[in-house]
Structures are given as structure tokens and as C-alpha cells.
Amino acid sequence: MTLSITDSTVKAAIAAIASESATTQEKIEMLIELAQGLQKKPKTAQDLWSTVDLYKRACEMCGEDYPLLKARAKVGIASALRSIPDEGTELLLQAKVAYTEALPILQQLASKEEIAEAQMNLGLVLQSLVPFNLAQIADSIKAYQDALRVFTPQNYPEEYAILHNNIAIAYLSISTGMEQKQLCEGLAVQTFEAALKQINLIENPREYAMLQNNLGNALQYLQSTHPIENNLRAIAAYDEALKVRNSHDTPLEYANTISNKANALFNLPDDPEKPEKGNPQNLLKARGYYQEAWEIFTEYQQLEQAQVVAQALQELEIELKMQQEKL
């Protein structure tokens, strides 16, 4: 049975803190510290709800006397709500309100890093609300760009890479009008490439692989008059990601990248100079990647991803058979 902090345990913790011979500020700080500790490694959704309760209790104790601690507790509430599995939008909307209420206080009293982290997370919440028409993607991008004023590649490479990744994905989600869509897809590619000028394989391998993988995806589906060139560039990006991702250390990330590479090979002629001759050799390479990815996704119970790869394999077999019959 998985051990989880229960409501009664939370109440006992609150009662213990209340009985401490400490100042009100110290008690608030203890509540926030307890919530943060639980939030770092939650075992169930109930753990996150218990975290929210602890942060709310801290907010109540703050009143109007401890504005910075209250803002930090609200950020904690927002972060916990954002992490609770939920198919709807209610928790995201509550998180948006909490971040929005906390940020003006943070901007007056907190460090620039604390402000930037809240802006970054607000951007994530707004981006998640866009598909439901409950936020504007421009507001999400603005929040990310505000955070980038602090999270520079020199001092905060991980945050810098994640922010550029999120901005690029935000551009790719814009779907109004073909001309604007093409512009946004181009901006996404430029955003990935700009980040990769600052993030390198040696110093930041994980972020480097993430950016290269997603650059490959952006290139592969870029609306352009040069699809073959884009697919070749995409494959090169996937190969860069695979310098980091492997089946032993990062199996799911590896499976994701090789399935993406297979998608590009599926649409790439064996001889780019003679596309009319088809691509039976690239289809065979893609088949190997799909098969390996399917095995990994299945082993790790990523059933939805496994199903997508299985469907791609079926389509590949049909295409391969058709091309072999023409030979």
C-alpha cells in the first residue's frame, strides 16, 4: 500500500505548528516548508490536495501582515493545483487566479528569480487554457518572455532552454489562417535554433536533446516548398538528440525521438534527387525504428503512444507493399 499523507495527518501537523512557541511568521514559514516538502515528491493526487490545504492555512495565518509569505503560499497553491490530474479547466483557472494575485506582490518584494519563476509557470497555465478558449496564446508568450529577462543562458541554461521550447510550441499552436500559420511555424523553428546557439551538448545535454528533438518535429511539419530539405534537416536534428537519448538511460525519450525520426524517413525519398523512385530503403529503416519504439512504449505501459506507433507501422506496411509491387 502506498503511504500518503492524509487529512488527519495534515490537521495534526497544523495543530503541532499552532502549539509551537514560535512567532506567527515562523509558523507560516513552517507551514510553507511542510507543504513544499510534500509537493516535491507526491505519491498520490491526495498528497497534492493536502499540499493545497497547507498553503491555504498559511495564507489564512498571513492575513494582511505578511504579504510576501502570502504571495509565496498562493504560488504554492497554484503550482500544486497545476500538478493535480484533471481533464477539465477548473483547477487551471484557479491556478491562474492564484498566480495573478501573487505576482504584483512578488514584483514589489521578491527576488527577480522568484518573480521570473512565477511568470514562467503562469505562462504554462495560460498555454494550457488556450485550447479551451480561456486564455490568449499571446499572453502566454509574453509571460515566458518576461521570465527570459532573468533566466539568461549564461546563468540559468535549463530555464532558458525550457522557456524557448515553450515559446516555440506556443507558436506552433497558433492556427489562424494559412499565411499566419506558416509565419508562426517559421518563428518556432527560429526560436529552437536561437536557443541551440546558447545550449550545447556538453554542458546541457538534457536540454540540448529536448530542443533538437522538438526542432526536428517543427522542421518535419513546416509548411514549405522544400519538404525534402526540411525532412533531411529534421533527421539531422533527431540524430543530434540521439547523441544524448538512449534506450538504457532515457528509454521513453529515446523511443519518442526514434519514432519521430521514423516519421521523417517515412516521407523521405531514398534519393532526394529522384523522388519519383520512392523510398523502400527508408521505409525499412523507419520500420525498425517504429518496432523498437513500440516495444519500449509497451514495456513502460505508455499505451497511447504505443497505439500511435502501431498505427504508423500498419500504414508503413501498406506503403512498402505498394512500392515493392511497382518494382
Side-chain angles (χ1 to χ4, degrees):
M1 180 178 177
T2 302
L3 294 176
S4 174
I5 189 165
T6 63
D7 289 339
S8 59
T9 308
V10 171
K11 289 175 182 175
I14 291 173
I17 289 172
S19 67
E20 288 279 337
S21 56
T23 65
T24 300
Q25 179 175 338
E26 289 171 338
K27 291 178 180 180
I28 295 167
E29 289 171 343
M30 281 188 272
L31 280 169
I32 292 175
E33 186 175 343
L34 180 60
Q36 289 172 337
L38 178 59
Q39 190 175 0
K40 284 179 182 176
K41 292 186 178 180
K43 295 179 180 177
T44 66
Q46 182 56 47
D47 286 353
L48 290 168
W49 282 116
S50 297
T51 298
V52 171
D53 290 340
L54 290 167
Y55 282 128
K56 284 184 176 178
R57 178 60 179 163
C59 274
E60 291 169 4
M61 290 184 68
C62 285
E64 301 303 320
D65 298 323
Y66 303 96
L68 179 55
L69 289 175
K70 191 171 187 176
R72 287 173 176 164
K74 286 188 175 183
V75 165
I77 289 170
S79 179
L81 289 171
R82 186 168 62 83
S83 302
I84 295 172
D86 182 35
E87 294 182 0
T89 60
E90 182 180 349
L91 299 184
L92 286 171
L93 287 170
Q94 290 179 31
K96 175 187 173 183
V97 169
Y99 281 129
T100 303
E101 290 177 349
L103 265 167
I105 306 302
L106 294 177
Q107 287 166 338
Q108 291 179 33
L109 303 172
S111 69
K112 60 182 182 178
E113 289 82 4
E114 193 171 357
I115 297 165
E117 184 176 0
Q119 290 168 330
M120 181 176 179
N121 290 326
L122 173 60
L124 282 169
V125 169
L126 293 172
Q127 192 167 354
S128 299
L129 287 168
V130 169
F132 302 97
N133 296 317
L134 294 172
Q136 298 293 320
I137 198 66
D139 293 333
S140 174
I141 293 172
K142 182 182 183 303
Y144 293 142
Q145 289 174 336
D146 287 343
L148 277 172
R149 294 173 185 166
V150 175
F151 291 141
T152 63
Q154 293 78 22
N155 297 324
Y156 300 95
E158 181 179 351
E159 288 82 359
Y160 175 86
I162 291 170
L163 282 163
H164 274 77
N165 186 68
N166 292 349
I167 290 170
I169 291 172
Y171 281 135
L172 291 172
S173 71
I174 297 173
S175 58
T176 56
M178 182 57 68
E179 187 174 337
Q180 186 177 5
K181 184 173 176 60
Q182 289 176 335
L183 173 63
C184 290
E185 288 173 345
L187 286 171
V189 169
Q190 289 175 20
T191 301
F192 285 126
E193 291 176 335
L196 283 163
K197 290 178 180 177
Q198 305 293 333
I199 302 298
N200 64 66
L201 173 64
I202 304 302
E203 296 177 356
N204 313 104
R206 184 171 176 270
E207 290 73 31
Y208 180 83
M210 173 190 70
L211 290 168
Q212 290 285 9
N213 178 77
N214 292 339
L215 170 61
N217 292 343
L219 286 166
Q220 188 175 169
Y221 301 108
L222 184 64
Q223 303 287 326
S224 110
T225 56
H226 307 286
I228 293 175
E229 180 184 333
N230 289 340
N231 270 331
L232 288 169
R233 290 172 64 197
I235 289 170
Y238 295 135
D239 286 341
E240 286 298 311
L242 290 171
K243 291 179 180 178
V244 178
R245 298 180 171 185
N246 60 72
S247 59
H248 178 70
D249 299 317
T250 54
L252 292 176
E253 291 87 347
Y254 171 77
N256 181 267
T257 298
I258 62 173
S259 63
N260 290 337
K261 184 176 178 180
N263 292 339
L265 287 166
F266 192 115
N267 296 299
L268 184 67
D270 289 343
D271 184 350
E273 299 297 324
K274 299 176 181 178
E276 69 278 1
K277 289 192 173 183
N279 63 339
Q281 296 305 311
N282 281 337
L283 288 175
L284 289 172
K285 292 177 187 176
R287 176 203 271 168
Y289 286 127
Y290 280 139
Q291 187 64 42
E292 187 179 2
W294 179 85
E295 290 170 0
I296 293 171
F297 286 139
T298 302
E299 179 184 351
Y300 287 88
Q301 297 295 302
Q302 302 298 306
L303 301 182
E304 185 175 341
Q305 288 168 289
Q307 179 58 39
V308 170
V309 173
Q311 180 64 37
L313 264 171
Q314 290 179 6
E315 294 173 5
L316 182 147
E317 294 297 344
I318 293 170
E319 179 64 24
L320 186 60
K321 184 178 180 181
M322 289 174 59
Q323 291 198 27
Q324 288 174 338
E325 288 174 351
K326 290 180 181 178
L327 295 177

